[in-house]
Amino acid sequence: MLFFRKILSDFMNISPIQRQSLLSFGSIITITGLGYISTFYFAHFLGPAVLGSFFLFLAYYGIFDLIGDGGFGGAAVKRISEGTDQDEYFSAFFLLRLLLLGLSIVTFIIISPFLTALAKDGLLYWLILALVAGTLASITAINLYGTAQVGIMQVSNLANTIVKNLVQILAVFVGFGLGGLAAGFIAGFIAALVINLKYVRLGFARFNRAHFSALLSFSIWTFLSSGGLLIITYADTIIIGQFMTETDVGIYRVAFQLTSVASFMVTVFHTVLYPHISRWHTENQIIRIETSLTRAFTYSFFLAIPVTAGGIILSEKLLYYLYGASFASGAPVLAILLVVQLANIFMFLLTMCLNAMDMPKLSFYSTAVSAALNIFLSILLIPRFGIAGAAVASLVSITVNALLAYAMLRSSVRISVDLKSVKNLVLSALVMSGILLGCVYLFPVQSFAGLVLVLLLGAGVYFSTVLVLDRKIRNDLKSLLETTDLPGI
């Protein structure tokens, strides 16, 4: 008992941002790992066509959930995190969210006759249930996120993933297939809701028109910006579904999911930094924003660069042994989508910073241009080049979004990348890539065990080289380990 108390005490001595980052990182690793394991299972037992239908279900859920949110989720986090009238802002948000949920469901029912893919697969009613469960979980999550309870929110997200995957795996095992995947998706929201309700700090209070106006002034641009980001995320999936088959959708989204390994760290920093940057902007602590942004870039690339390099080298083997032979044809798409994740680091962090610094209008402008470009390129390229065209459309549109966000943000904060550390990361990845190429040439990967050994070799070479080359990263890691005082390290 004393052993665990000491670990907890040492952990609480870390700075809040480091502590929340560690919690977020651990949670995201677990969530993503569970997601991968379950998808491996579904890919082998259900095949790309059924997975493609479920990915289309998720795409339509994202669109109607955006209508149900109306941008008020981001607005509520922003206003609540500023520290004034928190209960009033939450109460106003709660009412608005319920009204928009009703609008979302009515809109879905009206246009459902045109959603032939969902109707064919029997997913229309499942989608309505998912919207209700997702909205309730989202409302309570906003309560936690706005009050900077990021750790608790990550725990509830973890519970969401665990319950979702367990229900889905069990349902698929007993033969429910696509309906089982949808049921598990809903069950995860319910699990997150139960946990969130235990830790909400904000209650209901009387609010007035001023609170509505403050939410509305931010939500309009957040809604439009979120809509643009959603288009970038799902437009390619829906357009593939229109021009090609559910099998192509399944292969494309599986490749896209695999590349999310590269975005572990940027997802952590996006989640952790938003409420802090919002508060620092209110307090005019611009230097803290600049410093945090620079470090976020460095540690996002710390994982993304080697994952991209190794993933390109092993793309076909990864898809073949992890998901099955029917997915191996997606190797060229996987290589392109890995590069997309590098551009995504800049886009994700810079647009987050624009929103946190109360500039959602500028965030919308950059996202709207790239969303329109994504639709145009997808319609142009997918019929001709298939899912590889969708990947190229994503790469171009996300890069444009990042460049526009940079141009709009640089007048407010100094945006810089630690070029010395990034150079060391690139050199380490090159060393790793050279060894991987030589290894797979001399000893071709012919089994899952062989793939695991090659991945472990690459990871060991990369991280060892980074620690040798980069003193700053080495000192940061040393400082973190000394602060936590973990036994045996």
Side-chain angles (χ1 to χ4, degrees):
M1 191 68 174
L2 291 175
F3 171 77
F4 291 108
R5 286 181 179 176
K6 185 177 186 305
I7 292 179
L8 180 61
S9 176
D10 292 334
F11 183 72
M12 295 305 293
N13 287 331
I14 306 173
S15 69
I17 292 181
Q18 282 185 319
R19 183 168 61 249
Q20 291 173 1
S21 296
L22 284 173
L23 285 171
S24 295
F25 184 64
S27 174
I28 289 171
I29 284 181
T30 306
I31 288 171
T32 307
L34 290 173
Y36 282 138
I37 292 172
S38 61
T39 305
F40 298 158
Y41 176 78
F42 303 144
H44 285 282
F45 278 83
L46 299 177
V50 175
L51 274 184
S53 297
F54 182 62
F55 286 133
L56 283 173
F57 168 83
L58 295 180
Y60 284 116
Y61 169 82
I63 291 172
F64 288 100
D65 183 59
L66 174 67
I67 296 173
D69 180 80
F72 286 103
V77 171
K78 171 61 181 171
R79 300 307 179 204
I80 292 170
S81 66
E82 290 174 346
T84 58
D85 291 346
Q86 292 180 313
D87 292 319
E88 290 80 358
Y89 280 122
F90 174 73
S91 302
F93 162 71
F94 181 83
L95 177 61
L96 289 167
R97 192 71 168 87
L98 292 182
L99 293 174
L100 288 173
L101 170 63
L103 174 63
S104 175
I105 292 175
V106 170
T107 303
F108 172 73
I109 292 173
I110 291 173
I111 70 170
S112 60
F114 302 99
L115 304 178
T116 55
L118 290 180
K120 178 187 68 175
D121 295 321
L123 294 174
L124 294 176
Y125 294 110
W126 285 113
L127 188 57
I128 294 175
L129 292 174
L131 288 171
V132 174
T135 295
L136 296 176
S138 174
I139 289 172
T140 52
I142 292 298
N143 193 306
L144 300 178
Y145 196 23
T147 52
Q149 297 184 82
V150 178
I152 300 299
M153 190 182 72
Q154 292 293 341
V155 171
S156 72
N157 288 340
L158 177 60
N160 180 337
T161 300
I162 292 174
V163 171
K164 175 184 70 177
N165 289 334
L166 286 177
V167 172
Q168 288 177 332
I169 291 172
L170 180 62
V172 169
F173 180 75
V174 299
F176 283 107
L178 189 56
L181 297 180
F185 184 68
I186 296 169
F189 284 134
I190 296 173
L193 173 64
V194 170
I195 293 176
N196 290 345
L197 286 173
K198 294 184 178 181
Y199 294 96
V200 294
R201 291 180 180 174
L202 305 179
F204 297 110
R206 186 181 298 273
F207 52 88
N208 54 42
R209 184 177 299 177
H211 297 105
F212 273 123
S213 299
L215 289 175
L216 185 62
S217 65
F218 194 92
S219 69
I220 292 176
W221 301 108
T222 303
F223 171 74
L224 294 173
S225 180
S226 299
L229 187 59
L230 196 71
I231 289 172
I232 295 173
T233 304
Y234 289 121
D236 48 7
T237 302
I238 294 174
I239 294 173
I240 291 171
Q242 292 297 317
F243 287 103
M244 305 182 74
T245 66
E246 283 87 352
T247 297
D248 294 303
V249 174
I251 293 173
Y252 180 79
R253 292 307 302 186
V254 158
F256 194 90
Q257 183 208 45
L258 188 56
T259 66
S260 65
V261 174
S263 64
F264 272 154
M265 293 305 299
V266 71
T267 304
V268 169
F269 287 116
H270 182 280
T271 303
V272 172
L273 287 179
Y274 183 95
H276 292 284
I277 290 178
S278 175
R279 181 68 61 88
W280 293 335
H281 177 254
T282 303
E283 298 169 353
N284 199 34
Q285 298 187 49
I286 303 301
I287 293 179
R288 296 192 70 177
I289 296 176
E290 295 172 346
T291 303
S292 297
L293 198 57
T294 298
R295 290 170 69 86
F297 282 131
T298 299
Y299 285 98
S300 295
F301 283 124
F302 178 75
L303 192 59
I305 290 175
V307 168
T308 299
I312 291 174
I313 293 170
L314 299 170
S315 56
E316 184 178 357
K317 300 299 182 182
L318 286 168
L319 290 172
Y320 183 89
Y321 288 110
L322 296 180
Y323 298 98
S326 56
F327 292 88
S329 61
V333 176
L334 176 62
I336 299 171
L337 290 175
L338 283 166
V339 180
V340 169
Q341 293 297 345
L342 295 178
N344 192 49
I345 290 174
F346 290 103
M347 187 272 286
F348 218 41
L349 291 176
L350 294 177
T351 54
M352 176 274 293
C353 205
L354 283 171
N355 286 315
M357 294 177 65
D358 211 6
M359 293 184 283
K361 184 185 297 187
L362 297 180
S363 177
F364 161 69
Y365 289 152
S366 66
T367 305
V369 171
S370 59
L373 181 62
N374 183 272
I375 293 176
F376 171 75
L377 291 175
S378 294
I379 294 174
L380 181 67
L381 298 176
I382 288 174
R384 185 171 182 180
F385 299 104
I387 56 178
V392 171
S394 294
L395 176 59
V396 174
S397 59
I398 289 177
T399 301
V400 169
N401 196 348
L403 291 173
L404 290 174
Y406 170 78
M408 294 171 179
L409 187 62
R410 65 177 181 175
S411 61
S412 300
V413 296
R414 184 176 59 87
I415 304 170
S416 63
V417 175
D418 187 344
L419 294 178
K420 183 177 179 181
S421 288
V422 172
K423 181 190 71 174
N424 290 332
L425 298 179
V426 171
L427 287 175
S428 300
L430 288 174
V431 172
M432 177 200 74
S433 298
I435 292 177
L436 283 182
L437 286 170
C439 182
V440 297
Y441 178 78
L442 294 174
F443 308 101
V445 176
Q446 297 179 333
S447 66
F448 176 76
L451 177 64
V452 171
L453 288 175
V454 170
L455 292 174
L456 291 175
L457 173 64
V461 170
Y462 173 76
F463 291 119
S464 299
T465 309
V466 169
L467 292 179
V468 170
L469 293 179
D470 198 290
R471 179 180 299 177
K472 183 180 295 186
I473 292 177
R474 184 169 67 248
N475 289 340
D476 282 347
L477 181 60
K478 179 181 178 182
S479 175
L480 180 63
L481 292 176
E482 287 177 346
T483 303
T484 55
D485 193 23
L486 294 176
I489 300 181

